[in-house]
Amino acid sequence: MSATDVLGGHRIVPVVVLDDPARADALGAALVEGGLPVAEATFRTPGAAAVLRRLAENADLVVGAGTVLTDRQVDEALEAGARFVVSPGLSAAVVRRCQDAGVPVVPGIATPTEVMQALDLGLDTVKFFPAEANGGLPTIKALAAAFPQVRFMPTGGITAESAPAYLAHPAVAAVGGSWMVAGDLLAAGRWDEVAARCAASTRLYHPTLEGAPA
């Protein structure tokens, strides 16, 4: 199963940085309420595995692990319930551990050489990171022209305003972003706003939904 299969058609992946597992239940409920029941829980904080585990207990959520740097972190993430793994760079050890476990993995790339390395590892979906700092959509267009068999998940600096242009490109499988799960919203427990931003985000790739902007 590929990462896009696991995402179930949800083309925006909320990138969550949260260190308090006690807030994970409310966050998960807000994602589901907003119609975006997907989360990439990043391994950037000491409590990341516990947060991922709590999110994964919500049967309505598809939860993956992000910022996975080592094969040992792959094991930790899978033990916590991750259904996919995302990495900021391309580590053969991380990719192979995920492949051995039968879990989709989306490693980060920024250059044609790294795309070719991903292809050598049997992958056809990669994370383009950091997207905006590496030229954004024009770079993806150039990479897609050279590698038409590859799909990209750009992440890094993408906003609600810039996401639609990425999503309109046929080589883009999904985008990762944090505008709907911004740190200040999570810290303040503004779950209604998280749900509202998730709902607005789904309309970026389902423009026919009721209430979508004209």
Side-chain angles (χ1 to χ4, degrees):
M1 182 175 290
S2 70
T4 52
D5 291 333
V6 171
L7 294 178
H10 298 288
R11 298 189 63 213
I12 294 179
V13 181
V15 179
V16 175
V17 181
L18 182 65
D19 194 33
D20 184 1
R23 292 180 176 266
D25 293 345
L27 171 59
L31 293 171
V32 172
E33 180 184 346
L36 196 57
V38 178
E40 176 190 324
T42 61
F43 271 47
R44 302 181 191 175
T45 64
V51 168
L52 193 158
R53 182 174 290 105
R54 287 285 288 269
L55 288 171
E57 289 173 357
N58 187 327
D60 294 321
L61 276 179
V62 175
V63 185
T67 322
V68 174
L69 306 180
T70 66
D71 52 359
R72 181 175 180 179
Q73 283 185 321
V74 172
D75 295 340
E76 186 179 3
L78 298 185
E79 191 277 331
R83 293 177 59 187
F84 62 93
V85 170
V86 182
S87 188
L90 180 60
S91 162
V94 166
V95 169
R96 291 187 178 118
R97 185 62 62 90
C98 291
Q99 290 173 330
D100 288 345
V103 175
V105 56
V106 185
I109 63 88
T111 67
T113 297
E114 291 166 323
V115 175
M116 292 177 69
Q117 291 170 343
L119 289 170
D120 286 343
L121 288 166
L123 301 176
D124 61 9
T125 302
V126 294
K127 171 180 176 175
F128 178 57
F129 178 82
E132 289 291 288
N134 277 305
L137 187 55
T139 302
I140 288 181
K141 290 178 178 178
L143 290 171
F147 304 103
Q149 72 274 51
V150 175
R151 301 194 76 197
F152 300 87
M153 188 173 78
T155 307
I158 297 176
T159 65
E161 292 72 31
S162 62
Y166 282 98
L167 292 167
H169 195 280
V172 173
V175 302
S178 59
W179 68 86
M180 75 297 289
V181 288
D184 59 334
L185 298 181
L186 305 190
R190 297 178 59 193
W191 310 121
D192 289 346
E193 179 63 17
V194 170
R197 292 192 186 186
C198 286
S201 295
T202 65
R203 294 194 288 270
L204 298 178
Y205 59 94
H206 288 312
T208 59
L209 288 180
E210 182 180 353

